[in-house]
């Protein structure tokens, strides 16, 4: 996660929106970051992440006991939060 993101605020917002324990959200976000760190950037330095691949990766982790829909809801809520803060966006 970016240094510009207040992690505690992010966890509180995502927990309120998804009704998931912040500890579980933090675990999902850690696995998400690992997935992103392994992704290859294109010639513009942008990383294109397929949401389905990301959800599959996170749910495949042994310590994640959440279903796909819950993980997807967490990741969607995180993206909405980051877009509202101007820290992320979608590549057309």
């Amino acid at each position: 996660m970016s240094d510009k993101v207040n992690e505690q605020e992010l966890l509180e917002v995502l927990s309120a929106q998804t009704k998931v324990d912040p500890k579980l959200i933090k675990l999902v976000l850690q696995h998400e970051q690992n997935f992103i760190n392994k992704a290859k950037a294109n010639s513009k330095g942008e990383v294109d992440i397929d949401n389905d691949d990301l959800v599959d990766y996170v749910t495949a982790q042994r310590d994640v006991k959440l279903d796909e829909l819950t993980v997807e809801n967490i990741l969607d809520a995180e993206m909405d939060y980051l877009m509202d803060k101007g820290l992320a966006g979608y590549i057309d």
Side-chain angles (χ1 to χ4, degrees):
M1 270 183 283
S2 170
D3 293 335
K4 298 176 186 177
V5 174
N6 179 329
E7 183 178 355
Q8 188 60 39
E9 177 186 341
L10 173 63
L11 292 174
E12 289 172 9
V13 168
L14 297 184
S15 181
Q17 288 182 358
T18 63
K19 308 298 186 231
V20 176
D21 184 310
K23 291 177 188 169
L24 297 175
I25 293 172
K26 187 172 184 174
L27 182 63
V28 167
L29 298 181
Q30 288 171 343
H31 287 302
E32 173 195 30
Q33 191 62 52
N34 290 339
F35 183 86
I36 291 170
N37 289 342
K38 293 177 186 176
K40 303 288 185 215
N42 64 18
S43 61
K44 297 178 184 176
E46 299 169 332
V47 178
D48 186 19
I49 303 294
D50 181 275
N51 199 45
D52 292 333
D53 292 342
L54 176 57
V55 170
D56 290 344
Y57 173 83
V58 172
T59 56
Q61 304 310 303
R62 288 184 174 176
D63 54 350
V64 176
K65 305 295 184 214
L66 300 170
D67 60 68
E68 285 186 22
L69 182 58
T70 302
V71 170
E72 189 170 344
N73 288 339
I74 291 168
L75 296 173
D76 287 346
E78 179 201 22
M79 188 63 169
D80 290 343
Y81 174 88
L82 294 174
M83 287 174 47
D84 288 346
K85 296 286 184 180
L87 300 173
Y90 291 103
I91 299 173
D92 291 331

